[in-house]
C-alpha cells in the first residue's frame, strides 16, 4: 500500500491508541472491517466466490480435472493454488510485475492446506492409485486494498464450500486404463467437506500489541506482521444440527512472518493466541453466511448481482 | 456453401435469438475506486472488467508527440470451458492487446496529451464468444468514466453468416457455440457516430458477394450497442 503519508504525531496517535486497545475506527483488536461475499458468480467454474473487504476485491474460481494420484500418496487427491494479480489492481502488476506477490500468497495457501487436519484430500479420491480429482483454485486479485491473505483465504473457503463435483456413474476397466463416465446432471453432484479448511489471519504488530485487519494507516505504523493459518470448525458448515461432531480444538496449520522487523517470544505467543481467537470468530461468521446463501440458492430466493451491484 | 445449421426452420438461432438480435448487455461504471476509470460489462455470458489509469507521465523511452495508449488483455484462468494455464502473455492475448490498442487509439484524442501515457487493462472473467467486442465496449465505458476526451464512442460487434431456405441471413453478435460451429466470423470495431471503421478482422472464408451484407449487419450491431451503452 503506497501513497499513504502520515506525520509523526499521527503515528504516535495510532501507536498509543493500540497500546490502550483503541483503534481510530472504533474496532477492537480482533475485529474485521465489513465485508461483502457472493458465491456462484462464475458459471464456467465448478465453484466460485467473490469477496470485497474494504477496497480489496478477490474473485476465486475453482475448476476440477481428473488426474493420476502421486505414487507415494495413492489415496489422496490434489489441490493446486494459483494467484493472478490483475493489472486492474495497480499498474505495477502489468506483465510479470505481480508474480512475486502472487507466488508468496499461493505458497502460503498451499502450506496452510497441506495438513490432513486442515483439508482432507481423501474426499477427492476416485480410484485408489489410479484416478483422483485435482482442484485448481484460481485466485484473481482485482483490487488491492491491503490485508490480501485474509481476504484470499476467506474467498477460497467460500468457493470450496460452493464447489460441486460430479458423481461417477460408471467405470470401464480396459486393460490397465480406466474410462470414467461422469454424471452430466448438475444436481447429481457431491459437495466437499470444507468445514475444517484453514483461514489465514494477518496480525500487524504495532508497538507491543497486535491488530487484525489493519487499515492502510495502521500498516504504515507497523514494521512486521505475522500470518497465522487456523483450521476451521466443521460445526458451522454442516446443514443439519443433529450430527454429532467431535469436540473442536482450533489448530495452527501454518505460521509465517513478513516485514523487516523482529518480534519477541512473548509477543509472538500472545499474537498467535489472538490470531486463533480472531479466526474462530471469523470462521463462525463465514459459516453462517455461506450456509444461508446455499439455502437461498436451493430455494431460488437469491438474486445474482455479480459486479452490477 | 451450405454451412452448419445455425438457424432453425422457424428462423431462430441456437440460443433462441433472431438473426438481427444482440445478446443482453448489462454494464456498470465506476466498479472500483483505485483506478481513474473502471467499467464492468456483460454481453450474454461474456463478462469483462476494464480499468483505465492515466493520462500520466510516460516513461522516457516511450515519450512521443501524442499520447501512448498501453493496453493489456488478460483472461482469468477459469474464464473458459477448459482451464487456461496462463492468464496473459500467450500469443492470443498479445494479439488481442494490439487490436485493442488500434481500436482505442482511433477513438482517443491522442494529440491532447503529448509525452503522456494512458493504461487500459482488460480482465475477461467469463468468455462465451465475442470477448474482443465486449472488451472494446467495456474499455470505451472505462475511458468515459475516467473522463478521457474521445472523438467518438468506439463499439465493436461480430457478425456471421447462415442460410435460411437457401437465402443468406447474416447473424449478429456471435456466441461461443456459433463461433465453434466453424462459420465465418467478422469482427468490426467502429465509431458509429461517424460511421468509420477502426478495426476489422475476419476468419474463415466468405464469398465476396455476401461480404457487404455481413459487414452492414456488424455495423448495425455497433450502432445498436452504442444506443445501449449511452
Amino acid at each position: 500500500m503506497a501513497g499513504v503519508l502520515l506525520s509523526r504525531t499521527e503515528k504516535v496517535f495510532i501507536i498509543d491508541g493500540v497500546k490502550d486497545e483503541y483503534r481510530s475506527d472504533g474496532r477492537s483488536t480482533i475485529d474485521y472491517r465489513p465485508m461483502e461475499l457472493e458465491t456462484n458468480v462464475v458459471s464456467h467454474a465448478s465453484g466460485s466466490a467473490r469477496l470485497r473487504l474494504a477496497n480489496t476485491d478477490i474473485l476465486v474460481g475453482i475448476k476440477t480435472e481428473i488426474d493420476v494420484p502421486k505414487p507415494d500418496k495413492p489415496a489422496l487427491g490434489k489441490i493446486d493454488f494459483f494467484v493472478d494479480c490483475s493489472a486492474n489492481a495497480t499498474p505495477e502488476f502489468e506483465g510479470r510485475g505481480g508474480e512475486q506477490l502472487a507466488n508468496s500468497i499461493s505458497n502460503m495457501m498451499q502450506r496452510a492446506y497441506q495438513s490432513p487436519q486442515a483439508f482432507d484430500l481423501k474426499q477427492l479420491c476416485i480410484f485408489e492409485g489410479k484416478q483422483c480429482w485435482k482442484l485448481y483454485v484460481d485466485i484473481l486479485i482485482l483490487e488491492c486494498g491491503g490485508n490480501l491473505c485474509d481476504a484470499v483465504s476467506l474467498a477460497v473457503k467460500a468457493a470450496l464450500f460452493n464447489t460441486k463435483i460430479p458423481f461417477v456413474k460408471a467405470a470401464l476397466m480396459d486393460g490397465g486404463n480406466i474410462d470414467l463416465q461422469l454424471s452430466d446432471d448438475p444436481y447429481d453432484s457431491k459437495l466437499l467437506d470444507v468445514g475444517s479448511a484453514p483461514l489465514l489471519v494477518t496480525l500487524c504488530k504495532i508497538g507491543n500489541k497486535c491488530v487484525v485487519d489493519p487499515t492502510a494507516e495502521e500498516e504504515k505504523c507497523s514494521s512486521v506482521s505475522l500470518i497465522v493459518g487456523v483450521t476451521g470448525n466443521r460445526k458451522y458448515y454442516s446443514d443439519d444440527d443433529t450430527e454429532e461432531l467431535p469436540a473442536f480444538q482450533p489448530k495452527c496449520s501454518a505460521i509465517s512472518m513478513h516485514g523487516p522487523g523482529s518480534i519477541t517470544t512473548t509477543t509472538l505467543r500472545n499474537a498467535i493466541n489472538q490470531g486463533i481467537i480472531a479466526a474462530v470468530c471469523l470462521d463462525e461468521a463465514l459459516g453462517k453466511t455461506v450456509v444461508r446463501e446455499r439455502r437461498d440458492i436451493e430455494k431460488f430466493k437469491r438474486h445474482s448481482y455479480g459486479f452490477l451491484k | 456453401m451450405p454451412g452448419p445449421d445455425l438457424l432453425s426452420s422457424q428462423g431462430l438461432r441456437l440460443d433462441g435469438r433472431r438473426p438481427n438480435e444482440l445478446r443482453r448487455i448489462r454494464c456498470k461504471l465506476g466498479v472500483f475506486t483505485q483506478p481513474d476509470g473502471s467499467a464492468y460489462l456483460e454481453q450474454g455470458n461474456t463478462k469483462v472488467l476494464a480499468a483505465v489509469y492515466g493520462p500520466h507521465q510516460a516513461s522516457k523511452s516511450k515519450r512521443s508527440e501524442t499520447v501512448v495508449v498501453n493496453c493489456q488483455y488478460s483472461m482469468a484462468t477459469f474464464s473458459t470451458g477448459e482451464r487456461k494455464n496462463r492468464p496473459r502473455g500467450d500469443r492470443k492475448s498479445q494479439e488481442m492487446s494490439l487490436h485493442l490498442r488500434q481500436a482505442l487509439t482511433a477513438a482517443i484524442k491522442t494529440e491532447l496529451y503529448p509525452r503522456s501515457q494512458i493504461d487500459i487493462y482488460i480482465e475477461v472473467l467469463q468468455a462465451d464468444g465475442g470477448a474482443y467486442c465486449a472488451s472494446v465496449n467495456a474499455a470505451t465505458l472505462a475511458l468515459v468514466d475516467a473522463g478521457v476526451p474521445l472523438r467518438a464512442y468506439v463499439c465493436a460487434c461480430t457478425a456471421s453468416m447462415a442460410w435460411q431456405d437457401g437465402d443468406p441471413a447474416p447473424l449478429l453478435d456471435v456466441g461461443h457455440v456459433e463461433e465453434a460451429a466453424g462459420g465465418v466470423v467478422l469482427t468490426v470495431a467502429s465509431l458509429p457516430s461517424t460511421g468509420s471503421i477502426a478495426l476489422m478482422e475476419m476468419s474463415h472464408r466468405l464469398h465476396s458477394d455476401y461480404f457487404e451484407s455481413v459487414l452492414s449487419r456488424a455495423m448495425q450491431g455497433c450502432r445498436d450497442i452504442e444506443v445501449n451503452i449511452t
Side-chain angles (χ1 to χ4, degrees):
Chain A
M1 280 294 293
V4 184
L5 294 172
L6 282 187
S7 69
R8 191 191 282 174
T9 38
E10 282 172 305
K11 280 189 179 174
V12 168
F13 179 78
I14 291 175
I15 293 172
D16 282 354
V18 170
K19 202 186 282 172
D20 297 332
E21 305 211 353
Y22 286 112
R23 294 170 76 174
S24 36
D25 47 8
R27 288 182 288 156
S28 77
T29 49
I30 56 164
D31 274 348
Y32 274 78
R33 288 169 286 183
M35 321 178 199
E36 282 171 37
L37 177 76
E38 187 175 356
T39 52
N40 228 357
V41 278
V42 184
S43 53
H44 282 296
S46 311
S48 59
R50 183 208 176 200
L51 184 107
R52 198 170 165 84
L53 168 73
N55 263 341
T56 304
D57 210 312
I58 311 279
L59 183 66
V60 177
I62 294 177
K63 286 220 172 241
T64 49
E65 244 174 49
I66 292 176
D67 203 2
V68 182
K70 283 183 195 156
D72 54 334
K73 291 167 187 159
L76 299 187
K78 292 177 181 174
I79 187 164
D80 198 28
F81 293 90
F82 176 80
V83 179
D84 176 21
C85 295
S86 162
N88 284 30
T90 139
E92 287 160 31
F93 290 159
E94 199 188 328
R96 314 183 62 145
E99 230 157 69
Q100 208 180 354
L101 177 68
N103 281 338
S104 75
I105 296 177
S106 61
N107 286 341
M108 188 68 207
M109 289 299 289
Q110 196 84 48
R111 261 190 292 151
Y113 271 77
Q114 218 166 33
S115 151
Q117 282 170 330
F119 187 72
D120 186 16
L121 286 171
K122 275 189 195 134
Q123 56 186 315
L124 298 175
C125 178
I126 303 172
F127 250 101
E128 198 173 315
K130 297 274 187 195
Q131 282 187 317
C132 67
W133 288 107
K134 182 168 188 179
L135 294 183
Y136 286 100
V137 183
D138 292 315
I139 300 149
L140 185 61
I141 296 172
L142 293 169
E143 201 173 12
C144 218
N147 210 4
L148 279 176
C149 276
D150 301 24
V152 165
S153 75
L154 281 165
V156 166
K157 192 164 180 179
L160 281 172
F161 185 79
N162 182 241
T163 301
K164 286 183 175 141
I165 292 181
F167 279 121
V168 177
K169 273 202 300 196
L172 298 168
M173 284 286 258
D174 179 17
N177 300 327
I178 297 174
D179 200 13
L180 294 179
Q181 282 186 348
L182 297 178
S183 168
D184 44 13
D185 177 6
Y187 290 100
D188 190 20
S189 53
K190 74 167 179 182
L191 297 162
L192 293 173
D193 172 27
V194 292
S196 55
L199 292 178
L200 303 181
V201 172
T202 309
L203 295 134
C204 216
K205 180 178 159 274
I206 298 177
N208 278 329
K209 294 248 167 101
C210 289
V211 294
V212 300
D213 192 22
T215 59
E217 289 81 15
E218 284 169 335
E219 253 172 42
K220 272 268 148 170
C221 301
S222 145
S223 57
V224 62
S225 63
L226 186 76
I227 301 177
V228 196
V230 184
T231 58
N233 188 348
R234 286 174 47 209
K235 187 176 89 188
Y236 301 131
Y237 295 85
S238 73
D239 275 333
D240 58 314
D241 309 321
T242 51
E243 192 187 350
E244 280 293 317
L245 289 169
F248 171 66
Q249 195 70 44
K251 297 184 183 76
C252 268
S253 64
I255 297 178
S256 83
M257 266 173 73
H258 287 267
S262 57
I263 201 164
T264 62
T265 43
T266 346
T267 321
L268 181 74
R269 211 173 302 130
N270 291 339
I272 293 173
N273 285 334
Q274 190 188 346
I276 290 176
I277 295 168
V280 170
C281 297
L282 200 57
D283 192 43
E284 183 175 0
L286 179 71
K288 278 183 184 159
T289 315
V290 289
V291 168
R292 192 180 57 219
E293 181 124 325
R294 177 182 287 170
R295 284 194 187 132
D296 285 355
I297 293 175
E298 276 166 5
K299 290 177 191 156
F300 302 104
K301 258 203 225 154
R302 199 186 66 132
H303 184 73
S304 178
Y305 289 105
F307 287 85
L308 291 164
K309 194 175 171 187
Chain B
M1 45 156 227
D5 255 358
L6 292 174
L7 278 175
S8 73
S9 53
Q10 281 80 32
L12 293 176
R13 293 156 72 173
L14 296 166
D15 51 5
R17 286 183 284 157
R18 273 181 273 277
N20 62 344
E21 281 177 348
L22 290 168
R23 289 175 289 179
R24 178 164 75 157
I25 296 180
R26 297 199 288 178
C27 55
K28 191 183 178 222
L29 269 68
V31 214
F32 297 130
T33 47
Q34 274 167 16
D36 296 304
S38 61
Y40 168 74
L41 185 119
E42 269 182 39
Q43 209 165 337
N45 270 330
T46 303
K47 297 176 184 176
V48 177
L49 274 171
V52 171
Y53 287 86
H56 56 83
Q57 192 174 28
S59 58
K60 265 198 181 134
S61 55
K62 282 187 187 163
R63 279 182 204 172
S64 70
E65 280 315 296
T66 56
V67 70
V68 178
V69 179
N70 175 31
C71 289
Q72 184 181 276
Y73 174 92
S74 64
M75 287 176 99
T77 40
F78 49 77
S79 62
T80 47
E82 201 136 291
R83 184 178 180 270
K84 277 172 70 82
N85 273 328
R86 293 166 69 188
R88 65 186 82 88
D90 54 329
R91 283 178 186 234
K92 194 184 158 215
S93 330
Q94 279 173 351
E95 190 196 1
M96 287 290 199
S97 304
L98 281 177
H99 286 172
L100 273 170
R101 185 159 99 187
Q102 189 181 343
L104 296 168
T105 317
I108 296 170
K109 289 195 170 178
T110 47
E111 69 281 2
L112 289 181
Y113 301 104
R115 297 178 294 285
S116 319
Q117 180 179 347
I118 298 177
D119 294 318
I120 300 164
Y121 300 119
I122 302 288
E123 187 72 51
V124 178
L125 303 179
Q126 212 170 305
D128 187 41
Y132 175 76
C133 305
S135 307
V136 171
N137 300 333
T140 308
L141 289 175
L143 284 168
V144 170
D145 187 41
V148 175
L150 301 176
R151 268 178 250 284
Y153 279 40
V154 53
C155 298
C157 194
T158 53
S160 179
M161 192 64 176
W163 300 87
Q164 191 181 17
D165 311 327
D167 297 325
L171 304 178
L172 188 65
D173 195 12
V174 189
H176 174 71
V177 189
E178 292 162 329
E179 238 172 49
V184 58
V185 178
L186 181 82
T187 309
V188 173
S190 79
L191 312 171
S193 55
T194 61
S196 49
I197 297 174
L199 181 126
M200 197 197 73
E201 190 195 32
M202 194 175 81
S203 60
H204 297 90
R205 66 192 186 123
L206 175 71
H207 197 283
S208 57
D209 287 359
Y210 304 123
F211 178 73
E212 200 65 32
S213 64
V214 177
L215 181 63
S216 66
R217 179 54 54 95
M219 293 287 281
Q220 179 61 44
C222 294
R223 280 194 290 278
D224 291 347
I225 289 172
E226 192 189 27
V227 172
N228 257 306
I229 63 177
T230 45

